[in-house]
Amino acid sequence: MLQPCFIGHIQPSFLRAMANKKFYQGYTTIELMAQATSERECLMVAAVSLFEVKHGELFTGMNEQEAGFVKRCHAVVRQFLDDSDSSLVS
């Protein structure tokens, strides 16, 4: 279970950097975890890695607060990937 102080706070710039490394530079989740400097950053790396999980299975076993944290992280990652894909086409 996530600590209450982590539930509402995400760092969009960190999420975008991790998504770039994961999806465009080929870093593994373990390599990204090694770059995290706090528990909060580890949680955000985990959320980035969960982006690859099928949506229907994604929230199994998570409480409402945990699912909300992952959803907020995924919204940032989705926007980053959409923007990146658009700039590659242009």
Side-chain angles (χ1 to χ4, degrees):
M1 176 177 263
L2 295 177
Q3 299 298 319
C5 64
F6 294 132
I7 298 300
H9 185 73
I10 62 170
Q11 298 168 304
S13 60
F14 180 81
L15 287 165
R16 288 188 292 269
M18 294 298 104
N20 181 53
K21 288 179 179 184
K22 176 81 174 162
F23 300 112
Y24 294 116
Q25 296 179 31
Y27 282 65
T28 66
T29 300
I30 298 301
E31 291 170 325
L32 297 178
M33 283 290 184
Q35 295 179 21
T37 60
S38 68
E39 186 176 354
R40 177 173 295 154
E41 287 184 355
C42 286
L43 292 170
M44 288 187 285
V45 167
V48 168
S49 295
L50 285 171
F51 196 78
E52 298 176 308
V53 176
K54 290 181 185 177
H55 187 73
E57 300 168 6
L58 181 60
F59 303 108
T60 302
M62 289 185 200
N63 67 36
E64 189 174 319
Q65 290 177 322
E66 293 165 336
F69 177 85
V70 172
K71 287 176 184 178
R72 286 191 300 281
C73 289
H74 283 190
V76 172
V77 171
R78 186 174 298 108
Q79 184 66 49
F80 169 77
L81 295 174
D82 289 348
D83 290 348
S84 296
D85 289 344
S86 295
S87 68
L88 293 174
V89 172
S90 300

